[in-house]
């Protein structure tokens, strides 16, 4: 098996650790990152390289064999990838400041239906197959429209905040971007290929930690404390609505110390996770959705509003806070300080290198 074939096998097995700090492996990934026809042609033309192969895979293999023999191959590829990345952003013609301003027009962030599934699956399951009477279906037009709009608005918000956040990483001077949309690699820093994940502190993990600290998960604990004080929420409400109502009523009735106690436990949980990142990172890898599973090296950008964690979604548009924090992190990035994470998913064992960058609003 040739080196090219060895790295191809590792890549297809999602064994991204096989590339960490390996010059030949990194060369393979960066060749793959320029393997799209137009991008490859631009690289070949700019570096006076000619290939005889006609297929995409054949040309990648041939180019790899040529570049292995050159001492400046990584520098050539890095320079090309950085230039192409900036050219791509410029070609989009997007007024980023205008997009940032528009993001503040989103006042409510909620998914229509079940955000874990696609909208069409939710609508089919909720209405198409569940409602047998046409007149009843007609009566639910407003609800259907509301769900669809909520889904589209939340998706729009996520798309553009992700675009802008990713650009902060990809255009940083220490970062070599992957312009060919190579699976599992958004960019390289030093000798590490990395994928960026922007997320919030996971509610499931928070509940697990609160149960250890308080004896119960968030809602049962708050409901029991409220019951002792004669404060109740309508049983027909969703869990999120019950939490909101109980918190509001407790504060209105002069029992804000109960809410303060809960918030203090949540703050402590976040701060503990920030100081001991490996546990959170391992949890995030182990609890991925099956459809989007990956074992690649990752930087997790964790956004938290400690004053109201339900509003942490607003942190994705807080670029006056995000940009300096991300730049500071990248300026001082040390690949040797990445957490080595061993985790299990669907009875299979994996190994990755990762870090968690917290951006916290106190």
């Amino acid at each position: 098996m040739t080196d090219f074939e060895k790295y191809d096998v590792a890549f297809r097995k999602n064994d991204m650790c096989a590339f960490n700090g390996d010059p030949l492996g990194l060369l393979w990934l960066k060749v793959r990152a320029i393997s799209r026809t137009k991008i490859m042609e631009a690289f070949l033309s700019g570096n006076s390289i000619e290939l005889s192969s006609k297929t995409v895979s054949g040309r990648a293999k041939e180019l790899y064999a040529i570049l292995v023999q050159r001492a400046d191959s990584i520098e050539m590829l890095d320079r090309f990838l950085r230039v192409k990345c900036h050219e791509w952003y410029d070609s989009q013609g997007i007024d980023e400041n205008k997009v940032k301003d528009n993001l503040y027009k989103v006042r409510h962030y909620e998914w229509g239906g079940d955000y874990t599934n696609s909208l069409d699956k939710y609508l089919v399951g909720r209405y198409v197959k569940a409602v047998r009477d046409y007149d009843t279906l007609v009566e639910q037009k407003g609800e259907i429209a509301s769900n669809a709009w909520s889904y589209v608005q939340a998706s729009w918000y996520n798309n553009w905040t992700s675009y802008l956040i990713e650009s902060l990483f990809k255009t940083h001077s220490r970062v070599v971007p992957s312009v060919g949309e190579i699976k599992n690699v958004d960019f390289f820093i030093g000798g590490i290929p990395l994928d960026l994940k922007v997320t919030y502190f996971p509610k499931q993990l928070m509940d697990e930690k609160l149960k250890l600290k308080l004896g119960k998960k968030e809602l049962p604990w708050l409901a029991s404390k409220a019951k002792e004080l004669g404060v109740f929420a309508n049983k027909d409400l969703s869990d999120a609505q019950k939490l909101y109502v109980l918190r509001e009523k407790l504060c209105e009735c002069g029992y804000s110390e109960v809410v303060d106690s809960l918030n203090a436990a949540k703050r402590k949980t976040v701060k503990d996770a920030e100081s001991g990142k490996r546990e959170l990172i391992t949890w995030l890898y182990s609890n991925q959705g099956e459809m989007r599973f990956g074992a690649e090296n990752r930087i997790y950008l964790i956004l938290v509003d400690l004053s109201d964690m339900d509003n942490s979604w607003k942190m994705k548009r807080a670029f006056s806070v995000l940009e300096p924090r991300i730049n500071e992190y990248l300026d001082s990035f040390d690949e040797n300080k990445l957490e080595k994470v061993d985790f299990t998913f669907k009875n299979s064992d994996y190994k990755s290198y990762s870090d968690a960058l917290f951006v916290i609003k106190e």
Side-chain angles (χ1 to χ4, degrees), residues 206-224:
M206 177 62 75
D207 269 339
E208 292 173 10
K209 293 299 182 180
L210 289 178
K211 189 173 182 179
L212 293 174
K213 286 181 171 67
L214 305 175
K216 293 181 179 180
K217 296 179 180 180
E218 182 176 11
L219 180 55
W221 184 87
L222 192 62
S224 66

Side-chain angles (χ1 to χ4, degrees), residues 70 173 216 265:
R70 294 188 56 158
S173 60
K216 293 181 179 180

